[in-house]
Amino acid sequence: MANQSLVIVSGSKSAPGAPMLLKVAQDQGIDATLTYIDDPLTVSRINAADTVLYRMSPQMRPKYIALLDVLVEEKRSQLADYLAAFSKINMYDALVSTDIPTPKSYTISRDQQVLEYPIVIKIPNGYQGLGVELIRNENDLATFKAEFSDEDEFLVQEYIEESKGSDKRLFIVGDTCVAAMKRTSQTDDFRANLHLGGAMASYEPTAQEVAYALAATKVFNLDFAGIDIIDSNRGPLVLEINPSPGFGIQAVSTHNIAEEVVRQVVKA
């Protein structure tokens, strides 16, 4: 492992995940470097590394897309898979071609209306519950579109009322679910995201939920991912694939999740 070179790419100097991964990698004897997307040496570091681990928030996606033109082919292919998973529209386009159950979804342009209400609407690159709203009528839809005036396309999903403001996050590394939590809204908000005040608790996923989460992770050839699942009257549904999940789930897991991620990425 000592001969491995790993570059961890981050879009933010304030995000704790990348420095955590760097320390874990160095503790394992890996030749690891942390670089930031705006660093002029980032491209050469990525191209020279044996392995690259990306940390990215959706708002930094355009800067990562720009890297595709300057990376060597192997690194470009890996980053392309990673970026594809970040777009909620791309994600659902890929999921519908599989047997993985998801909420019924379709896309609309800015000028289009929806087929029926209530629905959940999402901007393509929202995160932490932002850019996701429950829409009950045309006025709600108009307000949402005005708020996100820079967006030309939106993902529309059926509203799964029976999920009752809760979901499950399964943290997948390789072929294993290393941690799982249940998130529950503490208000009447239908979103359960921790950044919006949701509470988390350790959760033991069912075999079916794990199977769906593993399959969803493989759709984009990801080494690791956070898979969000909600309950419905027709069984568990995969809600989202997060290719750069946070490590807050560590609080309810006995696994060293960052260590598991690094080991998977460098194929230890």
Side-chain angles (χ1 to χ4, degrees), residues 138-150:
E138 290 184 6
N139 287 337
D140 287 351
L141 182 60
T143 299
F144 182 86
K145 288 181 177 180
E147 181 179 359
F148 296 98
S149 56
D150 292 336

Side-chain angles (χ1 to χ4, degrees), residues 217-232:
T217 302
K218 294 181 186 303
V219 167
F220 291 102
N221 301 313
L222 300 172
D223 286 311
F224 64 97
I227 308 299
D228 295 342
I229 294 176
I230 58 172
D231 293 324
S232 79

Side-chain angles (χ1 to χ4, degrees), residues 242-261:
N242 188 330
S244 187
F247 292 100
I249 195 172
Q250 182 68 69
V252 295
S253 174
T254 58
H255 285 266
N256 185 327
I257 298 174
E259 183 175 301
E260 298 274 1
V261 167

